[in-house]
């Protein structure tokens, strides 16, 4: 078996056995947290053991994951994504040590492959035959891909605004896709009804306690990739709040196992046009006010966040904070990340880069801090927005003289000698 002890309700503190399809506290509907025997997990998860592990995926942290070792796992390689030093990005922002964790390189192009792979394993353990979720896009496209790789059918609910790249993935992966002519909130409610009605496995991230356990592996990798010296700050964008809560859990679990001396401060980033959690954080409460979903960063356009308590408490306990960024800042951050680091991020992932720039300007993060910014989704998901991020394309007939003229102007504009 693994080192899981039980599930603990974050409201009433009662504990329950870790059944694969136990989602919320049976007493009061509170969210559950997976708790481990950390002595035992730490025994099975050591620096030396990790250094010699051949498992180049999220499953390298198996002793700290809530799955049975014998449950078949989806074959796609999820996690163990690169952590790039990004010195030019750092210089542009005035921060000495910036790293980019590129989770856009997961099989379906987002961090959501981590919880989706976990969902497929737990669905198999529970004996379910269909997995379902509501999603702003990436949870759905990743679930569709992970489930397809394991031969399980999916039914997926997305709001009408989901960008084309994500929709294309879902249909190619063979999911039953329900596009709801409404907001994410309305989409979520419809999915909850259908999941209950048809007894499907529920991959809705906030209420399924195992999904955060998949998400936490991004943090465990960051710790390992920095040679067990966690950075001062980790920057992530926030919608429902599950991803940042998952990252916090990953740092905490590494710390509890003696693999990390400290927990980094979390910089949580929301879009100005939809920032209920940032405003709740500033107000010092866990009660948010629902907001319209008014931003180009579709993956974090969540007006009614599903995981406010875990997200806000993660940021508070880490001694971190929230910042908000506008759509223009998001587009320029996308361009800046691409230009300085060669990493292509979708708008919600670019928001974290924009948030880092904002936090530096506000004096929250200083020049000497070590920072990891997490790119949660690949830019190819939404090329429409990316082309808006700017950058002229030279278009001309196939004539050498026109090419020479155009290049002369262009090179001069870019400061290159053109002779
Ligand atoms: C889902 C997602 C987020 C935010 O995660 P939450 O759990 O909703 O807070 C950020 N970026 C991308 C690309 C995502 O897909
Ligand atoms: Zn409870």
């Amino acid at each position: 078996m693994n080192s899981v002890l039980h599930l603990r309700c974050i409201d009433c503190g009662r504990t329950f056995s870790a059944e694969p399809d136990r989602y919320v506290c049976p007493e009061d509907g509170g969210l559950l947290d997976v708790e481990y025997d950390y002595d035992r997990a730490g025994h099975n998860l050591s620096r030396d053991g990790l250094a010699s592990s051949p498992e180049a995926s999220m499953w390298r942290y198996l002793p700290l994951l809530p799955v049975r070792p014998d449950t078949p796992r989806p074959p796609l390689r999820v996690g163990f994504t690169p952590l790039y030093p990004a010195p030019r990005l750092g210089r542009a922002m005035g921060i000495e040590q910036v790293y980019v964790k590129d989770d856009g390189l997961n099989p379906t192009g987002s961090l959501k492959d981590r919880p989706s792979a976990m969902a497929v394993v737990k669905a198999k353990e529970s004996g379910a035959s269909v997995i379902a979720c509501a999603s702003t896009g990436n949870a759905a496209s990743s679930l569709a891909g992970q489930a397809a790789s394991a031969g399980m059918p999916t039914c997926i609910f997305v709001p009408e605004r989901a960008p084309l790249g994500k929709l294309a993935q879902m249909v190619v992966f063979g999911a039953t896709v329900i596009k709801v002519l409404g907001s994410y909130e309305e989409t979520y409610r419809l999915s909850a009804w259908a999941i209950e009605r048809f007894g499907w496995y529920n991959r809705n991230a906030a209420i399924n306690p195992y999904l955060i356990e998949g998400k936490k592996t991004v943090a465990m990798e960051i710790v390992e990739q920095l040679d067990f010296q966690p950075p001062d700050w980790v920057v992530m964008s926030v919608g429902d709040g599950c991803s940042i809560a998952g990252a916090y859990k990953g740092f905490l679990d590494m710390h509890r196992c003696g693999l990390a001396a400290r927990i980094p401060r979390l910089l949580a980033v929301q879009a100005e046009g939809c920032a209920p959690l940032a405003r709740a954080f500033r107000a010092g409460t866990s009660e948010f006010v629902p907001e319209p979903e008014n931003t180009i960063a579709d993956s974090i356009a969540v007006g009614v966040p599903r995981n406010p308590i875990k997200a806000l408490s993660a940021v508070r306990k880490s001694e971190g904070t929230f910042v908000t960024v506008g759509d223009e800042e998001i587009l320029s951050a996308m361009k800046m990340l691409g230009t300085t680091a060669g990493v292509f991020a979708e708008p919600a992932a670019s928001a974290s880069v924009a948030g880092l720039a904002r936090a530096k300007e506000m004096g929250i993060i200083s020049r000497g801090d070590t920072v990891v910014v997490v790119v949660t989704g690949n830019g190819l998901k939404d090329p429409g927005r990316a082309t808006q991020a700017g950058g002229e394309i030279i278009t001309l007939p196939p004539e050498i003289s026109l090419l020479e003229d155009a290049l002369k102007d262009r090179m001069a504009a870019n400061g290159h000698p053109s002779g």
Side-chain angles (χ1 to χ4, degrees):
M1 254 323 263
N2 50 43
S3 318
V4 172
L5 292 176
H6 45 239
L7 304 174
R8 184 184 296 278
C9 173
I10 66 171
D11 287 343
C12 69
R14 287 191 189 85
T15 59
F16 305 94
S17 65
E19 307 306 330
D21 53 358
R22 184 175 320 269
Y23 304 124
V24 292
C25 175
E27 303 290 332
D28 56 18
L31 300 187
L32 300 170
D33 228 356
V34 184
E35 290 187 348
Y36 298 84
D37 175 342
Y38 288 100
D39 285 342
R40 179 160 159 195
H43 187 74
N44 293 321
L45 197 70
S46 64
R47 291 183 194 208
D48 290 347
L50 285 171
S52 60
S53 168
E55 181 67 71
S57 78
M58 65 183 262
W59 304 112
R60 65 196 274 106
Y61 306 106
L62 207 54
L64 262 178
L65 293 175
V67 300
R68 288 193 216 124
D70 56 333
T71 314
R73 298 194 283 269
L76 301 179
R77 196 267 313 145
V78 179
F80 219 58
T81 55
L83 182 76
Y84 299 122
R88 278 176 300 279
L89 180 64
R91 217 169 296 140
M93 293 188 179
I95 305 170
E96 277 158 23
Q97 296 238 53
V98 175
Y99 294 85
V100 173
K101 175 70 171 164
D102 190 2
D103 246 39
L105 290 184
N106 276 305
T108 76
S110 81
L111 181 143
K112 298 295 197 301
D113 278 328
R114 300 175 187 269
S116 289
M118 179 64 75
V120 171
V121 174
K122 298 312 284 181
K124 290 210 164 183
E125 287 182 357
S126 79
S129 50
V130 175
I131 316 182
C133 75
S135 161
T136 53
N138 281 332
S141 54
S142 70
L143 177 61
Q146 295 298 328
S149 81
M152 281 190 91
T154 50
C155 185
I156 270 156
F157 296 75
V158 287
E160 58 182 319
R161 63 175 153 82
L164 192 59
K166 300 179 187 181
L167 291 169
Q169 287 182 297
M170 293 167 217
V171 289
V172 167
F173 295 141
T176 300
V177 182
I178 318 276
K179 191 183 193 179
V180 180
L181 306 176
S183 67
Y184 173 54
E185 163 61 9
E186 292 164 311
T187 306
Y188 187 95
R189 283 207 304 260
L190 196 63
S191 82
W193 176 85
I195 288 165
E196 177 76 30
R197 169 78 180 73
F198 301 111
W200 295 331
Y201 192 77
N202 190 340
R203 185 247 176 266
N204 280 335
I207 69 144
N208 183 322
Y210 302 108
L211 301 187
I212 273 190
E213 301 299 306
K215 290 186 168 187
K216 80 180 180 185
T217 56
V218 71
M220 301 169 86
E221 289 171 17
I222 290 171
V223 170
E224 192 184 351
Q225 288 168 317
L226 289 176
D227 201 20
F228 303 95
Q229 305 292 322
D232 296 304
W233 286 92
V234 171
V235 189
M236 287 177 78
S237 61
V238 174
D240 273 319
C242 305
S243 302
I244 200 153
Y248 181 74
K249 181 84 188 302
F251 290 121
L252 190 63
D253 280 359
M254 288 300 257
H255 179 63
R256 284 166 168 161
C257 285
L259 289 169
R262 58 168 177 171
I263 291 168
R265 300 173 78 177
L266 297 176
L267 180 70
V269 185
Q270 289 214 285
E272 249 149 44
C274 189
L277 290 179
R279 287 184 246 277
F281 182 86
R282 274 174 215 146
T285 74
S286 297
E287 303 286 319
F288 64 86
V289 180
E291 292 190 13
E293 296 167 353
N294 191 11
T295 168
I296 60 165
D298 62 288
S299 299
I300 54 168
V302 179
V304 180
R306 294 286 154 187
N307 216 336
I309 297 173
K310 280 190 187 177
L312 289 163
S313 112
V315 177
R316 287 188 178 120
K317 284 191 189 145
S318 79
E319 294 171 26
T321 191
F322 270 82
V323 293
T324 54
V325 293
D327 284 356
E328 287 304 319
E329 281 170 275
I330 290 173
L331 288 176
S332 22
M334 183 189 293
K335 180 91 189 273
M336 183 195 265
L337 177 68
T339 309
T340 60
V343 172
F344 191 12
E346 67 166 275
S350 305
S352 57
V353 178
L356 174 56
R358 179 59 85 89
K360 174 63 174 54
E361 277 163 28
M362 293 170 71
I364 296 168
I365 288 180
S366 46
R367 167 169 289 276
D369 287 338
T370 302
V371 181
V372 172
V373 54
V374 182
V375 169
T376 42
N378 197 297
L380 288 172
K381 299 248 182 194
D382 190 358
R385 291 298 180 192
T387 45
Q388 257 180 283
E392 184 205 349
I393 293 171
I394 301 169
T395 308
L396 40 67
E399 279 176 35
I400 289 170
S401 62
L402 293 175
L403 175 64
E404 278 181 329
D405 287 348
L407 283 181
K408 220 178 272 165
D409 294 347
R410 183 57 192 249
M411 294 302 200
N414 284 352
H416 296 291
S418 61

